[in-house]
Amino acid sequence: MVPANGRTFSVQFQDPNGQKREINVYLVQNSRKVLKDGLLKRSKRRWSPLPFNIIENDVPPFPKDVDLIASDSSATRSVYYTISGPGVTEEPVGVFSVVMETGMLRVNKAVDRERTPQFVVSSKQQLLIALFDRYTNQETDLPLPITVNVDDVNDNAPTFTGLLQFTVLEQSKAGTMVGMVNATDIDQRGTDHTKIRYSLLSGTNLFYINPETGVISTKTDTLDREVNDNYLVTVEIRDMNGALNGLFNTATATIVLGDINDNPPTFTKTSYDVKVKENQGEGLILRIPIEDKDLVKTPNWNTEFVIQKGNENGNFRIERDPKTNEGLIYLIKPLDYEKTKNLKLEVLARNQAELSGTKAQWMSIPVDVSVVDEDEGPEFTAPTVLFTVKENTPNDTLIGTYIAIDPETKSSAGIKYYKVSDPASWIKVDESTGQLKIANNIDRESHFVTNGVYNVTMKAVDASLKTGTGTVIIQVEDVNDHVPVIPSKDLVVCEKDGGEMGSVLVVAEDKDRAPFAAPFSFELGEEHDGRWAVKRLNDTAGMLEHTMELPNGLYTVPLMVKDLQGFGKTQTVMVRICRCRNGACLAYQNSTSLGVWAILAMLLALCLLLLLCESLMFYYVHSSYLCRPDRLVSEPLDIRCNITYCNIFPTIRLVLGCSLWTNNKMHSPFFTSSFTLSTWSLQKLAYLGTREEGRYADDIIHAYGFEGVGSPAGSVGCCSDQGNQEDLDFLNTLGPKFKTLAEVCNNKK
């Protein structure tokens, strides 16, 4: 029985060349149609030849017969065959043809399997063979797709893929993987044509390659980068599983050895000697070369240096030269031959990385430093010396001695002493002995003294003119040479309502320091008038208040301020009692707001009032004189007023005289005005002549006199003081002007 339609199976066989082949068998059931009347009708036959096989890259001559395609129809009919599709009428064109009479399939040229492994592509691109009746030219069977397989031949050698460069650390254990060789073969997979075998043609004493995987491994643990840092090995790849008839390729693989720190740095010498002058400044004194076989410019090669011994005083510093890897020893503190003539250093060299794969240890080397003696300048017995001196100590007083010695001779003989710095010139130095004495009065409160300390710089000079310097620190002790003083002696007491007494704060200062300064005591001076009292408020201030109601005005109060030791003096303060606003007298504020020109306008109004009174009298007495035609004045008038005095009576008359000026000519006075001052007023004027200038313009009567040209005080006319229109302090301190007037009146008594 034939299985169901569409079943397939394959038959494998071996051709004469020993190649395995496979034929696919397709089973097709005969197709018969059943008519409606129940009769059977045979359909066209579906003939199905087996797939055909050809060998790629076959050699001429061509064409060559592939196989015969036959149909049952050819037994009963005269037929012919045609073929079309890929390999015939489609690319690659002309590969196949068919003998029309016999149905023999032929190949006309060589085929590359790697390009076209099979000539059945799709339903639309099939190799079709058709069968036709010769006489009717009708198809006797349905067109049949056929398959032509291109059998592979080993025509492609395997090729390498990827880089053939690998790295492995030196001294790696045997069996350590180095890398993997990759290869490929484009022949048919699953055949010996693509079965690759790997082998090493060189370097087999050090490396091994897995023949199936291509993995390269080490065969020894003796690989030494410092002996040979890379190896070149030849790798072969061969198909046919390595058979002698297999195709092959070779290539060179580079194996680089990675570095490990298996070599410590070594010194080129066993020891070093270096000479250094005493007192030599900072600088490089020695270079120590280093050798290291490890990879340059890596932590395995970079060296770190340590001074393990001999640098307890910190005289040296060692560091690495980044370019040469040398050790550099620097002197950072001067050496003293008299203290140390020789120093033995021990220098250790090690890498930045720890040692590995070796039993070696870090190495060290001795460095002998010899100090060379030099003629040094004298040295003071101490860099600084402290002396305590009271201020105001008498001149020529010895405060101490500061000497130097020669470091070589340990003697002070022949050394001279001089001052380098003495800002206030308070000290004199004995050139031969180094004795220090007072040259001028020492004042602790001087700006040359800072926190009670005064410094003098000295130098010592030996016979060879070598010098040494030292500092004398003078601690200035305070004495009670200053009394407390009241820096502000002009005080204001604001008037109180309801009979309450006013008070004002009095603050004192003392340049001395404790215990010659605060706390202060405050009391009234012996000449006080009993109208004031003072009490201590704190260490530096007291509160002054009046003990009875006093009218507004200026008062003089003597105050005694004493320091903690009872040392003080009586000082006079000026206290003004007034109505205040914001702590300032209202009178002062009002005058400030009034302005100088307003006050001058008031004075001018007074002059005009007097002028009006006198004009009436003048009109009646001198009308005939003034009205004379020859006395009429056509030019503008300039009236000027002078304040004068007359001493023709036992009382003083203040006279205001006014004159006409025309064309810069002064005419005779045309009126005078006067009023009489009492004897009391005369006494007050005399009193003013004996007082300080600061007392003028207070609540007392003032007299004015015509002083004329050249007066030291200047004019007291109505327009003589316009310097600062807003500053009305002149109302309180009009000293020179009023003093002159008072002196004149006093002399005329």
Side-chain angles (χ1 to χ4, degrees):
M1 292 295 294
V2 178
N5 183 39
R7 295 292 180 91
T8 65
F9 62 92
S10 62
V11 177
Q12 293 183 347
F13 64 95
Q14 189 172 2
D15 66 11
N17 295 328
Q19 296 292 325
K20 292 181 180 180
R21 296 182 177 276
E22 182 176 323
I23 297 176
N24 295 322
V25 179
Y26 299 88
L27 297 180
V28 181
Q29 185 177 359
N30 288 335
S31 175
R32 292 186 299 172
K33 294 183 179 180
V34 180
L35 301 178
K36 293 181 180 180
D37 55 7
L39 299 176
L40 294 178
K41 181 180 180 181
R42 181 182 296 274
S43 64
K44 289 187 177 180
R45 296 180 180 179
R46 183 70 176 173
W47 50 298
S48 180
L50 297 175
F52 302 107
N53 291 76
I54 62 174
I55 299 174
E56 71 167 328
N57 298 329
D58 202 358
V59 296
F62 291 103
K64 291 185 178 183
D65 292 344
V66 177
D67 210 334
L68 185 65
I69 302 173
S71 171
D72 292 343
S73 299
S74 63
T76 59
R77 294 184 180 189
S78 177
V79 298
Y80 68 92
Y81 299 85
T82 64
I83 189 172
S84 63
V88 181
T89 59
E90 299 176 16
E91 287 296 332
V93 177
V95 176
F96 300 104
S97 63
V98 66
V99 178
M100 294 180 60
E101 294 79 7
T102 62
M104 177 62 70
L105 180 65
R106 288 183 173 180
V107 60
N108 301 316
K109 53 185 176 182
V111 178
D112 186 359
R113 188 203 69 85
E114 284 69 42
R115 294 184 61 185
T116 314
Q118 194 179 54
F119 280 88
V120 174
V121 180
S122 67
S123 61
K124 293 184 178 180
Q125 291 184 339
Q126 293 179 338
L127 182 61
L128 297 177
I129 187 162
L131 185 63
F132 294 89
D133 187 292
R134 285 179 178 269
Y135 301 104
T136 63
N137 212 28
Q138 298 290 323
E139 285 186 335
T140 60
D141 295 89
L142 293 175
L144 178 69
I146 62 174
T147 300
V148 178
N149 294 319
V150 182
D151 292 336
D152 183 44
V153 297
N154 193 19
D155 60 340
N156 292 283
T159 58
F160 292 93
T161 60
L163 296 176
L164 292 177
Q165 184 164 344
F166 312 103
T167 300
V168 65
L169 291 177
E170 62 175 328
Q171 298 189 27
S172 294
K173 294 180 179 180
T176 301
M177 179 178 174
V178 176
M180 182 175 177
V181 178
N182 294 308
T184 187
D185 196 316
I186 63 174
D187 288 323
Q188 186 171 358
R189 292 185 179 278
T191 67
D192 287 345
H193 298 168
T194 58
K195 192 170 185 178
I196 301 172
R197 196 132 181 119
Y198 301 87
S199 62
L200 292 181
L201 302 183
S202 64
T204 55
N205 60 325
L206 301 175
F207 305 99
Y208 163 80
I209 191 170
N210 187 305
E212 296 180 356
T213 64
V215 173
I216 300 176
S217 305
T218 59
K219 289 181 66 174
T220 178
D221 60 359
T222 60
L223 294 175
D224 190 351
R225 191 202 67 84
E226 286 71 45
V227 175
N228 191 357
D229 60 357
N230 70 84
Y231 294 90
L232 303 178
V233 297
T234 304
V235 181
E236 180 190 84
I237 49 176
R238 185 183 290 267
D239 59 16
M240 299 299 292
N241 201 19
L244 292 178
N245 63 340
L247 301 178
F248 66 91
N249 264 318
T250 61
T252 300
T254 302
I255 300 175
V256 178
L257 297 187
D259 186 43
I260 64 172
N261 194 20
D262 55 344
N263 295 280
T266 59
F267 296 96
T268 59
K269 296 175 64 176
T270 58
S271 64
Y272 286 91
D273 295 310
V274 62
K275 293 182 178 181
V276 179
K277 293 180 180 180
E278 68 170 330
N279 301 320
Q280 179 176 321
E282 295 185 19
L284 178 67
I285 61 172
L286 181 64
R287 283 182 172 267
I288 303 178
I290 285 293
E291 291 182 350
D292 196 316
K293 296 179 180 179
D294 290 317
L295 187 60
V296 175
K297 306 296 183 181
T298 68
N300 298 337
W301 180 82
N302 294 339
T303 305
E304 295 178 343
F305 298 89
V306 179
I307 301 177
Q308 291 184 304
K309 296 180 182 178
N311 194 31
E312 289 74 17
N313 292 330
N315 295 96
F316 306 96
R317 180 184 82 248
I318 190 168
E319 59 185 43
R320 165 182 170 268
D321 188 323
K323 294 183 179 178
T324 64
N325 210 29
E326 293 176 304
L328 308 177
I329 298 182
Y330 290 88
L331 178 69
I332 58 176
K333 288 173 59 176
L335 297 171
D336 189 346
Y337 176 82
E338 285 69 35
K339 294 181 180 179
T340 305
K341 296 178 175 58
N342 182 269
L343 287 169
K344 295 186 180 297
L345 308 180
E346 183 178 325
V347 177
L348 173 74
R350 54 163 298 151
N351 293 126
Q352 293 176 349
E354 295 295 332
L355 290 173
S356 174
T358 180
K359 295 182 180 180
Q361 302 292 324
W362 305 123
M363 300 177 63
S364 61
I365 190 174
V367 177
D368 189 57
V369 181
S370 300
V371 183
V372 180
D373 186 26
E374 280 196 336
D375 184 15
E376 300 173 272
E379 296 179 354
F380 281 95
T381 52
T384 60
V385 63
L386 174 66
F387 298 117
T388 301
V389 180
K390 287 186 177 182
E391 64 174 332
N392 303 325
T393 298
N395 291 352
D396 240 13
T397 301
L398 177 66
I399 64 173
T401 302
Y402 192 30
I403 64 170
I405 61 173
D406 190 307
E408 283 78 22
T409 64
K410 307 298 181 184
S411 171
S412 298
I415 297 178
K416 302 294 184 182
Y417 304 95
Y418 305 95
K419 289 191 304 181
V420 176
S421 173
D422 179 13
S425 300
W426 285 344
I427 304 299
K428 61 182 178 181
V429 179
D430 188 287
E431 182 180 301
S432 301
T433 64
Q435 289 184 339
L436 306 175
K437 295 182 179 181
I438 302 296
N440 291 294
N441 183 56
I442 295 178
D443 182 6
R444 194 195 68 85
E445 288 73 40
S446 169
H447 67 276
F448 293 109
V449 178
T450 303
N451 296 326
V453 173
Y454 178 76
N455 292 331
V456 176
T457 304
M458 291 180 56
K459 71 175 179 180
V461 183
D462 62 14
S464 61
L465 300 182
K466 294 289 181 72
T467 63
T469 59
T471 301
V472 178
I473 300 175
I474 299 177
Q475 184 73 48
V476 183
E477 288 188 347
D478 190 27
V479 297
N480 199 4
D481 57 343
H482 293 88
V483 297
V485 296
I486 302 172
S488 178
K489 295 183 174 65
D490 293 324
L491 309 176
V492 174
V493 175
C494 293
E495 181 184 30
K496 303 289 184 180
D497 295 329
E500 184 181 352
M501 305 303 174
S503 62
V504 64
L505 183 68
V506 181
V507 180
E509 297 176 353
D510 196 325
K511 293 183 179 180
D512 294 321
R513 64 176 182 176
F516 305 120
F520 302 138
S521 62
F522 294 84
E523 59 186 60
L524 293 172
E526 295 180 358
E527 299 179 357
H528 74 90
D529 55 10
R531 295 183 292 178
W532 298 88
V534 65
K535 60 182 179 181
R536 182 172 173 272
L537 181 64
N538 54 37
D539 286 354
T540 59
M543 188 63 71
L544 179 65
E545 59 185 1
H546 52 91
T547 59
M548 60 182 67
E549 289 191 26
L550 296 176
N552 291 357
L554 189 64
Y555 297 88
T556 302
V557 181
L559 284 178
M560 169 68 77
V561 185
K562 298 180 181 179
D563 60 22
L564 183 60
Q565 307 300 323
F567 187 36
K569 68 176 182 179
T570 300
Q571 303 171 63
T572 300
V573 297
M574 307 299 293
V575 184
R576 181 181 298 278
I577 302 176
C578 61
R579 295 190 63 81
C580 297
R581 180 182 298 157
N582 299 326
C585 291
L586 281 175
Y588 178 80
Q589 293 181 344
N590 291 339
S591 64
T592 301
S593 62
L594 188 59
V596 175
W597 288 107
I599 296 174
L600 293 176
M602 293 172 61
L603 294 176
L604 181 60
L606 178 61
C607 289
L608 294 176
L609 179 60
L610 294 175
L611 177 61
L612 178 60
C613 295
E614 294 293 338
S615 297
L616 294 175
M617 182 182 295
F618 179 77
Y619 175 77
Y620 288 105
V621 177
H622 301 284
S623 59
S624 60
Y625 175 79
L626 290 174
C627 294
R628 286 172 53 189
D630 59 337
R631 302 300 298 172
L632 293 179
V633 181
S634 61
E635 57 266 80
L637 299 180
D638 183 6
I639 303 176
R640 298 194 179 183
C641 302
N642 292 318
I643 300 175
T644 60
Y645 74 92
C646 296
N647 195 12
I648 58 178
F649 300 106
T651 61
I652 298 297
R653 287 199 306 161
L654 184 64
V655 180
L656 176 64
C658 296
S659 304
L660 289 175
W661 292 73
T662 59
N663 294 331
N664 297 327
K665 296 180 180 180
M666 186 181 71
H667 295 271
S668 301
F670 61 88
F671 77 89
T672 59
S673 180
S674 64
F675 57 92
T676 303
L677 298 178
S678 65
T679 304
W680 177 86
S681 300
L682 180 60
Q683 293 173 350
K684 292 292 288 184
L685 291 175
Y687 166 76
L688 291 175
T690 62
R691 304 306 293 172
E692 300 175 355
E693 293 181 359
R695 290 294 311 277
Y696 300 148
D698 295 329
D699 55 344
I700 56 176
I701 297 177
H702 304 284
Y704 299 84
F706 179 72
E707 299 171 307
V709 180
S711 169
S715 174
V716 295
C718 58
C719 303
S720 63
D721 191 0
Q722 302 177 13
N724 185 347
Q725 298 182 15
E726 298 301 327
D727 186 1
L728 297 179
D729 284 345
F730 74 94
L731 295 177
N732 298 326
T733 56
L734 294 174
K737 302 177 185 296
F738 286 91
K739 184 176 179 180
T740 303
L741 180 59
E743 288 176 349
V744 171
C745 293
N746 189 39
N747 293 334
K748 297 295 183 177
K749 288 174 58 178

